[in-house]
Amino acid sequence: KAGVTQTPRYLIKTRGQQVTLSCSPISGHRSVSWYQQTPGQGLQFLFEYFSETQRNKGNFPGRFSGRQFSNSRSEMNVSTLELGDSALYLCASSQRQGGPYEQYFGPGTRLTVT
Amino acid sequence: AQTVTQSQPEMSVQEAETVTLSCTYDTSESDYYLFWYKQPPSRQMILVIRQEAYKQQNATENRFSVNFQKAAKSFSLKISDSQLGDAAMYFCAYRPTFDYGGSQGNLIFGKGTKLSVKP
């Protein structure tokens, strides 16, 4: 099976712009989670989608949003970019939600905001 | 709220030697899962090993094993016969068994331990 794919791999945006990141889960996986990784804050949970519904959400402002499509592919959007949004954004997929189901991570999208 | 603490920001080990990475966590749940993830310089996060809290037996995966002390809320990773390819960031993570929704329903990571392997 193909692994989790994320596009684009690298992105440079200007403060105030918006950005959309894409994640394609492993075939058959219905849950997609997003994480933000920065040197200062480490790995922080953004949100999780299952069957096109947002099931969990981390402590991030409303500028961060996402959605999941019927084929389980997911996108996350960040509006009005700030310098502090520069980070590695990781997507992970699993068969279902909850601890028993292993999360498989994608290679990440490196976002730089200037 | 659950938290995960990795007290060793950096560790170093000689090739072929054994190293232990520490992790402690805090939770009021009795049923949960614990994980060690490896993130090499290529950035792809890889699952190394996982432990179900209801299992007393420590998990083992080839050269990787854990010491799970539920009462002490401790979950250390032992890497035996260290290899150059083991050099990476290692993250300890916690996840509740059941999804209650909200912000704690997913993986909660520690800050990570950077492992260097000397030839």
Side-chain angles (χ1 to χ4, degrees):
Chain A
K1 280 185 179 179
V4 179
T5 58
Q6 292 187 246
T7 56
R9 293 291 309 277
Y10 302 91
L11 205 51
I12 299 175
K13 288 287 187 179
T14 302
R15 193 169 44 182
Q17 289 185 313
Q18 75 164 14
V19 67
T20 299
L21 311 182
S22 180
C23 171
S24 292
I26 292 171
S27 178
H29 285 193
R30 297 167 60 191
S31 174
V32 174
S33 300
W34 289 88
Y35 297 86
Q36 181 196 66
Q37 185 176 22
T38 60
Q41 298 299 317
L43 283 149
Q44 293 185 288
F45 168 67
L46 279 157
F47 28 64
E48 179 182 25
Y49 287 87
F50 180 76
S51 294
E52 302 178 63
T53 302
Q54 187 180 90
R55 300 304 179 106
N56 294 307
K57 189 177 191 304
N59 296 321
F60 278 82
R63 300 185 298 107
F64 291 82
S65 63
R67 58 178 176 169
Q68 186 180 35
F69 302 95
S70 59
N71 61 358
S72 295
R73 188 177 71 85
S74 177
E75 290 181 345
M76 68 162 282
N77 183 277
V78 188
S79 62
T80 319
L81 284 165
E82 300 177 359
L83 296 178
D85 297 333
S86 294
L88 180 69
Y89 290 88
L90 294 169
C91 164
S93 77
S94 60
Q95 288 183 317
R96 295 184 65 86
Q97 297 174 282
Y101 301 98
E102 179 182 340
Q103 291 197 339
Y104 294 83
F105 283 82
T109 294
R110 169 72 64 186
L111 172 65
T112 302
V113 182
T114 62
Chain B
Q2 296 94 344
T3 59
V4 177
T5 302
Q6 292 178 251
S7 58
Q8 306 151 317
E10 295 189 28
M11 291 281 286
S12 181
V13 63
Q14 206 72 33
E15 196 175 6
E17 297 293 309
T18 296
V19 65
T20 299
L21 308 184
S22 301
C23 172
T24 57
Y25 59 95
D26 187 27
T27 183
S28 58
E29 303 292 332
S30 60
D31 202 8
Y32 48 86
Y33 285 75
L34 295 165
F35 306 86
W36 278 99
Y37 280 90
K38 170 186 176 182
Q39 189 179 40
S42 67
R43 297 290 181 178
Q44 186 93 31
M45 191 83 74
I46 304 165
L47 178 66
V48 175
I49 199 166
R50 79 174 198 176
Q51 174 80 43
E52 294 91 336
Y54 66 86
K55 288 186 177 180
Q56 293 187 344
Q57 186 174 5
N58 291 322
T60 299
E61 287 288 341
N62 301 314
R63 298 183 294 108
F64 298 87
S65 62
V66 298
N67 183 4
F68 173 48
Q69 302 289 328
K70 190 173 184 178
K73 296 181 182 176
S74 171
F75 182 61
S76 61
L77 174 70
K78 186 172 81 171
I79 305 174
S80 304
D81 185 26
S82 296
Q83 300 175 0
L84 295 177
D86 294 333
M89 282 292 289
Y90 286 82
F91 293 95
C92 178
Y94 164 99
R95 188 175 190 184
T97 298
F98 300 103
D99 173 34
Y100 296 116
S103 65
Q104 293 291 317
N106 236 282
L107 281 170
I108 300 163
F109 288 92
K111 293 292 188 184
T113 296
K114 183 178 181 180
L115 178 65
S116 302
V117 181
K118 298 179 180 178

